[in-house]
């Protein structure tokens, strides 16, 4: 059981790191788009992401 929990914790940590990497990448791409005068279509943004952008939660 302990080994299973350790593996799950490692997997969760890895996924958390991946989410942060995606977030960093998206932030950079958004800045490049804004610099080029390109705005995203709302259909390009997932509903959960839009909710998070508005609430910060």
């Amino acid at each position: 059981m302990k080994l299973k929990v350790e593996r799950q914790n490692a997997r969760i940590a890895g996924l958390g790191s991946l989410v942060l990497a995606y977030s960093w990448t998206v932030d950079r791409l958004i800045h490049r788009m804004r610099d080029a005068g390109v705005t995203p279509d709302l259909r390009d943004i997932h509903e959960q992401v839009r909710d998070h952008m508005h609430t910060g939660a």
Side-chain angles (χ1 to χ4, degrees):
M1 185 66 150
K2 182 180 176 184
L3 182 60
K4 183 177 180 180
V5 170
E6 289 172 354
R7 279 193 223 148
Q8 287 177 335
N9 286 342
R11 183 171 181 256
I12 290 168
L15 290 172
S17 177
L18 181 60
V19 168
L20 289 174
Y22 267 98
S23 176
W24 180 87
T25 300
V26 169
D27 184 64
R28 299 264 316 224
L29 293 173
I30 287 171
H31 280 90
R32 287 179 186 262
M33 289 173 62
R34 286 186 182 147
D35 289 347
V38 177
T39 56
D41 187 307
L42 285 178
R43 296 172 295 178
D44 295 334
I45 303 171
H46 192 280
E47 182 179 329
Q48 283 181 293
V49 174
R50 283 196 308 265
D51 290 346
H52 180 265
M53 291 169 69
H54 292 296
T55 64

